[in-house]
Amino acid sequence: MKFLPTILIFCLSISSFSQNSKVNGSKNLLDANGFPKSQQKQDSRATDFSPRSTDDIVLGYADTRALSEINIVGEADAYPWISGDGLRLYYTNGSDSSNSLLYYSERANVDSPFQTPTLVPINVVTPKSIWLSENELEAYVTTFVSGGILVYYQRNSIVEPFGAPEEIFLNGITLGSIAGASLNSTQTELILYSAGYGVITFNRTSSNSFDYIGPLLSSSNLNTSAGQLSKDDLTYFLGINNAGFGASINQLERSTIADAFSSSALQEISDLNEPLHLTYSLPCQVI
């Protein structure tokens, strides 16, 4: 897919390390994004800006699978957002920037396959990515319009179409292509990817504007790609593009929502990277 040169995969939206709960009476625990995880342990050392090696961190993910029930061969299914209970999935699909569309799918439980996707009723041309509030009544969508803009939507229930789009203004920086907008639960903090800048952060200044703060990571030698904030606002998952070695999924953690993410806390999620050798945007499930 021409508009997805970087690693933007479903794994980024289904990994987190808090808010545990029982899954349908099974022994598995749900992570903060609604997916089962096994017991985990990790090395707490954080002394440099380099992603941790597989010897330094063990995150406990047991397996992955391609979501073949929704993947379309020859096209990219990308920029996914999944509900906190793991049952509803929104994502974009298309072969290039001229025909991308937003789709929705759901499943009965986290062990079931997703149903046949349906088109999301939303009034926007060539959407690129979507982020929704916890109740799924508000949405922020990045688009290919005018090189890339961010728009906001509301609706009264999850079975109704979204209303008219409202453009969100991003002040303090001149941006080109943008993707992967991700907000905290109070919608005061915005993180997104911009070509030429990598993953960057903003703070809300009004109902329809945010001010640029700076790059998510202070280290200038890291080539980042779009990611997603966990449901508890404490973990950000992102891609790191390594020259000559493809891309890898990484995570950043912070102690409280008031803290900034630090490059020194960057950790590679080795269980997801090694078996898949991930370089493209294909939805997969971690179990």
Side-chain angles (χ1 to χ4, degrees):
M1 186 171 182
K2 298 178 181 177
F3 66 93
L4 293 173
T6 56
I7 176 174
L8 296 164
I9 66 166
F10 193 35
C11 302
L12 291 176
S13 72
I14 58 179
S15 307
S16 188
F17 310 104
S18 61
Q19 298 185 1
N20 295 339
S21 61
K22 292 293 183 181
V23 182
N24 298 328
S26 70
K27 295 180 180 180
N28 290 329
L29 296 175
L30 282 180
D31 65 20
N33 294 292
F35 277 81
K37 65 174 183 177
S38 59
Q39 295 297 315
Q40 303 163 2
K41 62 179 181 178
Q42 67 184 60
D43 191 305
S44 62
R45 291 170 295 172
T47 58
D48 56 46
F49 293 156
S50 301
R52 302 296 183 80
S53 72
T54 56
D55 294 331
D56 293 327
I57 181 169
V58 177
L59 296 180
Y61 290 101
D63 199 3
T64 61
R65 74 172 182 92
L67 299 184
S68 56
E69 67 269 31
I70 63 172
N71 292 154
I72 298 177
V73 176
E75 296 187 8
D77 302 296
Y79 298 104
W81 183 94
I82 194 163
S83 59
D85 58 12
L87 303 183
R88 293 173 302 284
L89 168 67
Y90 297 77
Y91 64 98
T92 53
N93 168 272
S95 58
D96 58 43
S97 60
S98 66
N99 65 2
S100 64
L101 295 169
L102 281 170
Y103 283 89
Y104 166 82
S105 181
E106 61 184 26
R107 58 184 177 178
N109 57 68
V110 294
D111 297 317
S112 302
F114 283 98
Q115 298 177 5
T116 301
T118 58
L119 196 63
V120 177
I122 196 166
N123 183 22
V124 65
V125 177
T126 59
K128 185 183 288 188
S129 67
I130 186 170
W131 179 92
L132 295 98
S133 59
E134 182 180 0
N135 61 12
E136 299 167 49
L137 301 184
E138 299 175 273
Y140 290 78
V141 176
T142 63
T143 82
F144 290 98
V145 176
S146 302
I149 62 172
L150 180 64
V151 291
Y152 169 77
Y153 295 87
Q154 284 183 300
R155 60 182 175 180
N156 294 322
S157 76
I158 63 173
V159 298
E160 295 183 24
F162 285 98
E166 177 183 7
E167 183 173 356
I168 300 297
F169 297 98
L170 304 176
N171 305 315
I173 188 172
T174 300
L175 300 173
S177 173
I178 60 173
S182 189
L183 290 88
N184 63 350
S185 57
T186 59
Q187 300 182 30
T188 56
E189 178 184 29
L190 167 67
I191 305 175
L192 59 76
Y193 170 83
S194 176
Y197 294 96
V199 180
I200 53 180
T201 64
F202 297 80
N203 282 343
R204 183 182 289 279
T205 53
S206 73
S207 62
N208 66 344
S209 68
F210 289 81
D211 281 359
Y212 174 65
I213 300 301
L216 178 71
L217 299 177
S218 58
S219 177
S220 60
N221 63 350
L222 292 175
N223 184 9
T224 58
S225 58
Q228 192 166 127
L229 190 63
S230 65
K231 297 293 190 282
D232 62 4
D233 299 337
L234 298 180
T235 307
Y236 187 79
F237 302 90
L238 72 162
I240 300 291
N241 300 306
N242 305 299
F245 297 97
S248 61
I249 305 173
N250 293 258
Q251 70 166 27
L252 289 165
E253 289 189 310
R254 59 185 176 184
S255 299
T256 72
I257 59 175
D259 296 330
F261 288 106
S262 171
S263 300
S264 62
L266 183 66
Q267 296 176 326
E268 181 180 344
I269 307 178
S270 57
D271 288 354
L272 300 185
N273 296 322
E274 283 196 348
L276 297 179
H277 301 290
L278 298 165
T279 57
Y280 294 101
S281 177
L282 293 177
C284 63
Q285 176 183 344
V286 178
I287 60 177

